[in-house]
């Protein structure tokens, strides 16, 4: 369209405003200003009105809809908006749409200078006769709507929309000022983007999709005329998108506009007749607004996590409120990391195992190592605000709804309502990482008795019945005992290296390993890999320096974590120690079409040396039955029965929380990590949640989801552990101990350069009761490492038999001590 040049002068426009004001005042008998006052208004403000327009008009910032897509960039997840809007340029709008709007609203748009004086007089005369006619030009409508949408207070909205002559005169003055500063094309483009078209559709782009599910460039004459009928009468479309309401008024208005277009020469009579013969043909695009209205219900939990993530990013605003306002007004195109196909398959796998109508939540999270991209967040729940049909709470608290089958609580990423679920033996990974990082090699061997009297003390208030016979003693009038963990089923073993300890998940060996490295070191490893311990007493205990004495149960995972954190932490190990914050976006594109690369950049740091991480991976491969090159597994891994046909390099860990409060399977390849669990979100520490059947479901679903996650990805392998990580570097041999006085044994070990102490409790051996018989660990260890002297309970000791008739005593004439 050709830009028109306008010959303008402030004096001419001032006179025009004066005439308009006088006519309006006389005809309505209710002029907003006395003639003298109006004259002063014109004389003082007419020139300024063209040079000092409000910023809202010269640089309008209109809210636009943000659209959120799955990782393919095409599958719409949902939208965020204060107003459903997206700005478009004129060349993105069909010419027939522009012609229809001009025919309906302002056929003289290219002739006037912002105000149609003849139209105002005509409308004023008609209104005095009882008719109701408007005289606002398209430019005046643009002014009014822009001021309304830019208003930040109710008073500003009223001032921009009240039906008074004062407002109309101000609007006319601003319209003339706009015509001085903007071209006709710029005004028309602004108008197309600001008009309200009913059903929460602001602007022609939103209107085109709302009613016809197509871009405005593809609108037909009938569709364009339908949209053009709505700026003055948006209520005509009420109910039509839901298949209700009367379309008679909007059809009449559409047909009138088509006839107007014929009269203006922008449409032939034949084209108009063809358009009028068509039904409205509404084909609305489903409106997706935030997370309760996602395209597929099981995507709601991912959407909720994305929304939380956005609200925490300082790059998007100073406060959370500012960030959420930007999301709803900024007109972004956001490509998330959600793999829609994987998400749907994961949901199906979980549903195949259990239904939604049980208190136990079976869920899974998949993350990409090395980037932190969250690919799937699935759980046997319906993301919904309607919880009227939910089942009874398992914790007996009837004041709140339960979380099944419907909930919006972030069961997978955690919140104040659900801090997470006990991590169980999955926490052994952190103890092992700490040990490897301190120089203990994979070949470190630690006894694994069925029951172990640890160095950690428990007071009478926390003693269980099983602890009461484990080295009880009194101190300051209170009963104490050493905490005595057991292996599942009380199985025992000769000293195990880390492959065997981790693969068979020895509780007693890992408690001993934790005593050697310290709870604080294991806690630091967990935090470095991605566990936040939200609202956990661990954080305070670490800060005040009591964690090593008070939190001995750490390695057995009595503390809570979330599936998202566990996927994050094991992905850190899979990526060679590179920790990446969970990231739900891959691209953020601004309303101007420019990508914001920093907004979607992975946030990563090297949490552990690569050789430490890959040594831990090697131990983790024993869990899943993969005795790969450089790996020395012993016994059967706890998940091996479920992973035999996986077909790719894999490591993982199962985890049962104390009293079966939860159960986990975490599995990872080099390019996908999945954390699958079962727990009770209503009562996260309820006992006997993880039945045998649900444990099977966790492993079956977890392995199946991971298979789907790597399908189509390139196969990659993990590096084998280095020799230093297998056999150690600069290690010192631990002296052997054989049926000797414990104090002498401690002196011998201390003399070799270790921090020697006598272990609490007594253990089965063939030495006499009270004699030292071994150490933990055995073999070698870093210089200065703690080494515990083990004392025999005499259970396997045998007295030497007296020699019978005709038999000779042993060498030297003495009877040798009895041994197995």
């Amino acid at each position: 369209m050709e830009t028109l040049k306008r010959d303008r002068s402030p004096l001419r426009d001032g006179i025009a405003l004066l005439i308009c004001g006088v006519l309006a005042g006389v005809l309505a008998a209710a002029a907003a200003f006395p003639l003298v006052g109006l004259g002063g208004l014109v004389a003082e403000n007419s020139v300024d009105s063209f040079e000092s327009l409000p910023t809202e008009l010269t640089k309008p910032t209109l809210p636009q809809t943000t659209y959120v897509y799955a990782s393919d960039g095409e599958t719409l997840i949902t939208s965020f908006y204060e107003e459903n809007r997206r700005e478009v340029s004129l060349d993105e709008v069909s010419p027939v749409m522009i012609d229809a709007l001009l025919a309906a609203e302002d056929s003289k748009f290219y002739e006037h200078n912002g105000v149609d004086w003849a139209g105002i007089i005509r409308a004023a005369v008609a209104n005095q006769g009882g008719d109701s006619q408007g005289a606002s030009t398209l430019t005046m409508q643009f002014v009014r709507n822009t001021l309304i949408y830019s208003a930040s207070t109710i008073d500003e909205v009223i001032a921009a929309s009240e039906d008074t002559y004062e407002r109309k005169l101000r609007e006319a003055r601003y319209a003339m000022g706009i015509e001085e500063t903007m071209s006709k094309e710029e005004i028309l483009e602004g108008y197309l983007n600001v008009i309200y078209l009913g059903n929460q559709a602001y602007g022609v782009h939103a209107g085109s999709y709302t009613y016809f599910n197509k871009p405005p460039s593809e609108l037909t004459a009938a569709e364009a005329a339908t949209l053009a009928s709505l700026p003055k009468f948006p209520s005509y479309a009420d109910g039509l998108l839901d298949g209700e309401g009367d379309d008679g008024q909007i059809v009449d208005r559409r047909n009138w506009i088509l006839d107007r277009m014929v009269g203006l020469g922008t449409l032939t009579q034949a084209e108009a007749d063809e358009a009028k013969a068509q039904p409205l043909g509404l084909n609305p695009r489903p409106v997706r607004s935030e997370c309760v209205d996602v395209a597929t219900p099981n995507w709601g939990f991912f959407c909720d996590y994305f929304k939380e993530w956005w609200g925490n990013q300082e790059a998007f605003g100073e406060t959370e409120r500012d960030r959420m306002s930007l999301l709803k007004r900024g007109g972004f195109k956001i490509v998330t990391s959600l793999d829609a196909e994987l998400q749907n398959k994961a949901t199906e796998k979980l549903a195949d195992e259990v239904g939604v109508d049980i208190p136990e939540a079976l869920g899974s999270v998949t993350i990409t190592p090395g980037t932190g991209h969250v690919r799937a967040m699935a759980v046997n729940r319906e993301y919904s605000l309607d919880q009227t049909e939910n089942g009874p709470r398992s914790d007996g608290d009837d004041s709140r709804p339960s979380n099944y089958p419907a909930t919006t609580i972030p069961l997978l990423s955690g919140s104040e309502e659900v801090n997470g679920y006990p991590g169980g033996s999955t926490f052994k990974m952190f103890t092992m990482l700490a040990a490897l990082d301190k120089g203990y090699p994979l070949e470190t061997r630690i006894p694994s008795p069925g029951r172990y009297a640890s160095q950690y003390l428990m007071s009478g208030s926390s003693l269980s019945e099983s602890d009461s016979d484990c080295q009880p003693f009194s101190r300051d009038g209170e009963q104490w005992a050493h905490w005595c963990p057991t292996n599942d089923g009380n199985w025992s073993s000769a000293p195990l290296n880390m492959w065997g300890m981790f693969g068979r998940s020895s509780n007693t060996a890992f408690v001993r390993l934790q005593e050697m490295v310290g709870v604080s070191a294991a806690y630091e490893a967990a935090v470095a890999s991605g566990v936040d311990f939200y609202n956990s007493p661990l954080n305070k205990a670490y800060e005040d320096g009591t964690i090593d004495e008070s939190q001995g149960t750490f390695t057995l995972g009595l503390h809570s974590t979330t599936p998202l954190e566990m996927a994050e932490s094991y992905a850190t190990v899979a990526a060679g120690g590179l920790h990446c914050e969970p990231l739900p976006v891959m691209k953020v594109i601004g309303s101007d079409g420019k990508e914001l690369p920093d907004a979607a950049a992975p946030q990563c740091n090297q949490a552990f040396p690569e050789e430490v991480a890959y040594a831990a991976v090697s131990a983790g491969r024993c869990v899943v039955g993969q005795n790969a090159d450089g790996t020395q597994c012993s016994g059967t891994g706890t998940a091996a029965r479920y992973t035999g046909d996986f077909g790719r390099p894999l490591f993982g860990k199962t985890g049962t929380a104390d009293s079966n409060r939860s159960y986990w399977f975490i599995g990872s390849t080099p390019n996908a990590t999945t954390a699958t669990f079962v727990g009770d979100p209503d009562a996260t520490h309820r006992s006997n949640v993880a039945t045998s059947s649900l444990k099977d479901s966790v492993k079956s679903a977890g392995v199946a989801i991971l298979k789907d996650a790597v399908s189509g990805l390139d196969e990659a392998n993990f590096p084998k552990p280095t020799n230093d990580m297998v056999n150690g570097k600069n290690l010192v041999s631990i002296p052997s101990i054989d049926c000797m006085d414990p104090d002498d044994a401690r002196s011998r070990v201390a003399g070799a350069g270790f921090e020697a102490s006598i272990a609490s409790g007594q253990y089965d051996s063939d030495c006499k009761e009270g004699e030292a018989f071994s150490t933990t660990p055995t073999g070698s260890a870093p210089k200065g490492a703690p080494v515990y002297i083990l004392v025999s309970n005499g259970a396997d000791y045998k007295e030497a038999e007296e020699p019978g008739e005709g038999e000779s005593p042993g060498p030297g004439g003495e009877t040798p001590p009895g041994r197995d």
Side-chain angles (χ1 to χ4, degrees), residues 466-648:
S466 61
D467 294 315
S468 61
D469 62 346
C470 192
Q471 306 299 313
F473 61 93
S474 294
R475 185 173 67 187
D476 300 329
E478 186 174 7
Q479 186 77 3
W480 291 79
H482 289 272
W483 174 50
C484 296
T486 61
N487 287 330
D488 185 24
N490 289 317
W491 65 269
S492 61
S493 170
L496 296 171
N497 58 25
M498 288 194 197
W499 289 293
M501 291 165 53
F502 199 72
R504 298 177 64 182
S505 198
S506 170
N507 292 340
T508 57
F510 264 96
V511 170
R512 291 185 182 210
L513 183 63
Q514 180 179 257
E515 289 173 337
M516 292 157 54
V517 300
V519 180
S520 54
Y523 168 87
E524 289 168 356
V527 171
S529 66
V531 183
D532 292 332
F533 297 112
Y534 184 74
N535 283 344
S536 171
L538 284 167
N539 297 326
K540 184 178 185 304
Y542 179 77
E543 291 170 3
D544 64 24
T546 64
I547 192 170
D548 287 305
E549 295 77 30
S550 64
Q551 303 294 327
T553 60
F554 177 84
T555 196
L556 302 189
L558 270 66
H559 296 279
S560 294
T561 184
T562 67
L564 180 65
E565 286 182 340
M566 294 313 292
E568 173 188 356
S569 61
Y570 274 65
T572 298
V573 181
L578 182 68
H579 168 249
C580 298
E581 294 289 340
L583 183 62
V585 299
M586 299 181 73
K587 288 184 181 180
V588 178
I589 301 170
S591 59
D592 58 1
K594 295 180 179 178
E595 187 173 346
L596 307 175
D598 291 344
Q603 303 296 313
C604 304
N605 67 285
Q606 194 69 34
F608 309 103
E610 278 193 7
E611 62 178 4
V612 167
Y614 288 130
V617 166
S618 180
R621 300 190 75 168
C622 294
V623 174
V624 296
Q626 292 191 355
N627 203 350
D629 185 24
T631 298
Q632 302 173 32
C633 304
S634 61
T636 302
T638 57
R641 186 162 64 91
Y642 296 83
T643 56
D645 63 347
F646 191 81
R648 290 188 180 217

Side-chain angles (χ1 to χ4, degrees), residues 254-334:
R254 178 199 70 175
N255 293 345
W256 177 82
I257 292 171
L258 291 168
D259 288 337
R260 284 274 295 164
M261 294 172 71
V262 172
L264 293 170
T266 56
L267 202 67
T268 67
Q269 187 63 57
E271 291 170 331
D273 291 342
E274 181 182 355
K276 286 193 290 184
Q278 297 176 16
L280 281 182
L282 299 180
N283 178 33
R285 177 170 70 176
V287 177
R288 308 294 177 193
S289 178
E290 302 199 6
C291 300
V292 294
D293 193 23
V294 292
T296 301
N298 69 69
W299 300 352
F301 294 97
F302 176 89
C303 174
D304 185 84
Y305 175 67
F306 158 76
K307 184 178 177 182
E308 178 192 16
W309 174 86
W310 183 280
N312 288 329
Q313 301 306 302
E314 294 182 0
F316 299 137
E318 184 174 349
T319 67
E320 182 179 358
R321 182 176 180 180
D322 293 338
R323 298 161 198 158
M324 296 312 300
S325 178
L326 178 64
L327 178 63
K328 295 179 180 181
R329 297 171 61 90
F332 296 101
K333 176 182 178 181
I334 299 172

Side-chain angles (χ1 to χ4, degrees), residues 342 364-370 372-376 563-575 646 650-652 665-676 702 705-706 709-710 713 718:
L342 176 61
S364 186
V365 174
T366 301
I367 280 183
T368 301
H373 285 133
V374 181
R375 295 178 57 195
L564 180 65
E565 286 182 340
M566 294 313 292
E568 173 188 356
S569 61
Y570 274 65
T572 298
V573 181
F646 191 81
L650 170 72
F651 82 98
F665 170 69
I666 306 172
S668 184
T669 69
N671 45 18
T673 304
T674 296
T676 306
I705 292 169
L706 186 56
V710 299
L713 300 181
F718 295 108

Side-chain angles (χ1 to χ4, degrees), residues 763-769 792-798 820:
Y763 306 93
D764 294 350
S765 87
D766 56 5
C767 293
K768 291 181 180 179
E769 182 180 2
S792 174
N793 60 12
D796 298 329
Y797 175 74
K798 293 181 180 179
D820 279 343

Side-chain angles (χ1 to χ4, degrees), residues 242-489:
D242 298 324
E244 302 176 357
D246 181 9
D247 64 3
Q249 289 180 304
I250 197 171
V251 169
D252 290 345
R253 175 77 173 165
R254 178 199 70 175
N255 293 345
W256 177 82
I257 292 171
L258 291 168
D259 288 337
R260 284 274 295 164
M261 294 172 71
V262 172
L264 293 170
T266 56
L267 202 67
T268 67
Q269 187 63 57
E271 291 170 331
D273 291 342
E274 181 182 355
K276 286 193 290 184
Q278 297 176 16
L280 281 182
L282 299 180
N283 178 33
R285 177 170 70 176
V287 177
R288 308 294 177 193
S289 178
E290 302 199 6
C291 300
V292 294
D293 193 23
V294 292
T296 301
N298 69 69
W299 300 352
F301 294 97
F302 176 89
C303 174
D304 185 84
Y305 175 67
F306 158 76
K307 184 178 177 182
E308 178 192 16
W309 174 86
W310 183 280
N312 288 329
Q313 301 306 302
E314 294 182 0
F316 299 137
E318 184 174 349
T319 67
E320 182 179 358
R321 182 176 180 180
D322 293 338
R323 298 161 198 158
M324 296 312 300
S325 178
L326 178 64
L327 178 63
K328 295 179 180 181
R329 297 171 61 90
F332 296 101
K333 176 182 178 181
I334 299 172
V335 179
T336 71
S337 56
L338 178 70
D339 183 331
E341 183 179 2
L342 176 61
Q343 174 73 21
N344 293 339
K345 286 182 176 180
T347 301
E348 292 172 6
K349 292 288 192 306
L350 298 173
D352 288 343
E353 296 293 335
V354 295
V356 299
D357 295 315
I358 64 171
E360 292 76 26
L362 179 65
S364 186
V365 174
T366 301
I367 280 183
T368 301
T371 65
H373 285 133
V374 181
R375 295 178 57 195
M377 299 180 75
V379 66
N380 62 326
R381 293 292 189 270
E382 298 168 358
Y383 192 88
S384 174
L385 291 170
D386 183 6
Q387 297 164 18
T388 57
E389 301 299 324
N390 276 18
R393 287 185 66 90
S394 57
D395 61 0
D397 182 2
D398 296 332
S399 65
R400 298 180 295 160
S402 71
N403 67 78
Y404 67 96
T407 187
T408 55
I409 297 174
L411 305 180
L412 300 170
S413 55
S415 69
E416 291 185 359
E417 294 177 87
V418 176
N419 294 339
Y421 317 86
S425 292
T426 60
F427 275 31
K428 290 172 182 171
M429 171 62 77
F430 310 130
T431 306
M432 183 167 62
L433 286 168
L436 291 167
D437 199 33
K438 284 180 175 288
Y440 289 96
L442 288 165
E443 276 288 6
T444 299
R445 293 181 179 269
I446 298 176
S448 180
R451 183 179 180 87
Y452 172 57
S454 74
Q455 309 302 305
Y456 304 111
L457 300 180
M458 305 185 74
S459 67
S461 60
S462 57
L463 286 175
S464 67
E465 187 174 329
S466 61
D467 294 315
S468 61
D469 62 346
C470 192
Q471 306 299 313
F473 61 93
S474 294
R475 185 173 67 187
D476 300 329
E478 186 174 7
Q479 186 77 3
W480 291 79
H482 289 272
W483 174 50
C484 296
T486 61
N487 287 330
D488 185 24

